[in-house]
Amino acid sequence: MTGEFTSAANADLADYLRIIRRHWLLIFAVTGLCVSLAAGYTKLQAKRYDSVAKVQIPEAVGQSNREQTIADLQTEVQVMKSDEVAQRATKILKDGRSVAQLLSHLKVKTPTEARVLMITYNGKSPDKARDGARAFADAYVGYKTAQANQNIAGQVNALQPAIDSLSKQLALTQAALDNERPDSVAARSLNVTIGRLTTNLAQSQAQQDTLRSQRIDGCRVLSPATLPTKTAGSGLLTNLAIGLLGGIVLGLIITFTRDRLDEQVREAADLQQVLSVPNLGSIPILPNRHRKRDTLLVTLHAPAGPHADAFRRLRSAVLLMMRANSAKIVAITSANAGEGKSTVAANLAVTLAQAGNTVCLVSADVRRPTVDQFFQVPDHTGLMDVLDGSVALDDALVQVAGLSLLTSGRPHTTPTDLLQSAAMAKTMTTLRASFDYTVVDTPPILAVADLLVMASMLDVVMFVVSASETTEADITAAEQELRNVGANITGAIMNRSVTSTNRYKSYYRQTPTTRKGARKAARRGRHAPPVIQQSVGRQNP
């Protein structure tokens, strides 16, 4: 179970890395945009100035442990930020700003366990910054002093009722003593009481005097605010870091969202997930893709180049697949037109012939016979003529480029009927017996039903998918139609693969001699007429 979980996790990670590698340019662009916006935002910010004042906090009475000290310091920070202190600051500044406006420019912090408040005020000018810091420092000192005075006044007032009571008792006792004989027992008792009351009254009055004379130690300004000489930190590095991190995150979100919504098959790994068959090869983008048809035959015109090498790699995989399935006839198809199936079929047939095999290439895409244009044999009798009985198979075959070519032949009004006829089955049987391998270029599956009607006559079917052009829905629909008629789909080919193109470019860029030869061969293939020997009629394989 643990091994399965690890494999699944590794697969998911590989998928994520593949998506990131595919869309790295998008992530880079989004990140660059966010960093640029952060830099622009920082530059457009108005200049600000910071002025700092330091205020000492007196020791709290009865405080002993570290936790209490920290709690007391945090309490004083909140006092500094309170509306009461801010209201005192507004009276000092007298500039008409509200309490909320002043507090928005204030920052207060305290060093660890140090009984000091660091008041930082941010202003648009050096004067405003200094005045703001001074105002809050003075307001805090005034608030704490008033609070201490109020506390002392409360204690003094608290003693007054006792003093008044003692004074009253003393007066009453003295009056009673005046009515007694000096040598009486009652007089002696009243004298003792008067002495006690007098002592208590004196003590209470002394406490009041001590409180009134006590020095107020609310707090004091240790370091007054000064005029700042330079602007406050613009936060450029912080904003750039935020822009960088935000850009990466946003780029990843866009990338994975786009990948989730994108139904196009872009890489071999995507194709492997859609089609339940192995990917036999990836063909790079051909340099002459939009030029004349015959220049796409790179296995003849530029055999030393990277594109021909890709088809030779494909040939090795196809041969292993054919031998594993005891197959001799392979159909090359695609979901839609324009995905390069004819190019793959023609070049694959040439490489099979170059390996010493007897090969027949059949142009069964009779409505759009592209293969005929590759070998420059248009308007030749071919498959349709053989199927309607106009010409014998031996007479329709053309020997070209080391292989036998059966062109599409003359157009027919009902080609589908001919392709599912007994004559077609007989033709396939004859080709199977006469050649080592037969490569059949068939029409797109979703366009016409031609391949579906002759699927039972073919040994295996290989699916060509054009990278970034074919959707998953089209591939799934095409595969389902082939499965419904019993077609033996044994492999897929990723055509116009960007990944494969980059790999070949990277390798051939490091081999100057090979690259020069490939360029010369490519130029010969583009500008010189292809040297393709043709002869009509089948030669003994």
Side-chain angles (χ1 to χ4, degrees), residues 87 103 229 271 321:
Q87 286 173 356
L103 289 176
T229 58
L271 179 58
M321 180 272 296

mmCIF file of all heavy atoms in Angstrom, residues 87 103 229 271 321:
data_model
loop_
_atom_site.group_PDB
_atom_site.id
_atom_site.type_symbol
_atom_site.label_atom_id
_atom_site.label_comp_id
_atom_site.label_asym_id
_atom_site.label_seq_id
_atom_site.Cartn_x
_atom_site.Cartn_y
_atom_site.Cartn_z
ATOM 1 N N GLN A 87 -6.256 62.303 21.542
ATOM 2 C CA GLN A 87 -6.976 63.565 21.715
ATOM 3 C C GLN A 87 -6.071 64.648 22.309
ATOM 4 O O GLN A 87 -6.133 65.823 21.912
ATOM 5 C CB GLN A 87 -8.191 63.338 22.617
ATOM 6 C CG GLN A 87 -9.323 62.586 21.922
ATOM 7 C CD GLN A 87 -10.444 62.222 22.875
ATOM 8 O OE1 GLN A 87 -10.341 62.467 24.082
ATOM 9 N NE2 GLN A 87 -11.503 61.627 22.332
ATOM 10 N N LEU A 103 -3.714 58.679 14.416
ATOM 11 C CA LEU A 103 -3.329 57.302 14.764
ATOM 12 C C LEU A 103 -2.883 56.499 13.552
ATOM 13 O O LEU A 103 -2.098 55.555 13.692
ATOM 14 C CB LEU A 103 -4.503 56.598 15.453
ATOM 15 C CG LEU A 103 -4.828 57.081 16.871
ATOM 16 C CD1 LEU A 103 -6.068 56.377 17.401
ATOM 17 C CD2 LEU A 103 -3.640 56.849 17.811
ATOM 18 N N THR A 229 16.266 63.692 8.340
ATOM 19 C CA THR A 229 17.064 64.233 7.231
ATOM 20 C C THR A 229 16.903 63.452 5.932
ATOM 21 O O THR A 229 17.391 63.882 4.889
ATOM 22 C CB THR A 229 18.548 64.234 7.618
ATOM 23 O OG1 THR A 229 18.954 62.897 7.948
ATOM 24 C CG2 THR A 229 18.776 65.147 8.815
ATOM 25 N N LEU A 271 -0.937 12.354 -24.298
ATOM 26 C CA LEU A 271 -1.484 11.354 -25.214
ATOM 27 C C LEU A 271 -1.603 9.998 -24.525
ATOM 28 O O LEU A 271 -2.571 9.261 -24.736
ATOM 29 C CB LEU A 271 -0.586 11.257 -26.445
ATOM 30 C CG LEU A 271 -0.985 10.243 -27.517
ATOM 31 C CD1 LEU A 271 -2.379 10.531 -28.040
ATOM 32 C CD2 LEU A 271 0.024 10.251 -28.654
ATOM 33 N N MET A 321 6.635 -3.519 -32.519
ATOM 34 C CA MET A 321 5.201 -3.659 -32.351
ATOM 35 C C MET A 321 4.620 -4.618 -33.387
ATOM 36 O O MET A 321 3.760 -5.456 -33.067
ATOM 37 C CB MET A 321 4.540 -2.284 -32.451
ATOM 38 C CG MET A 321 3.032 -2.264 -32.284
ATOM 39 S SD MET A 321 2.151 -2.527 -33.843
ATOM 40 C CE MET A 321 2.653 -1.068 -34.754
#
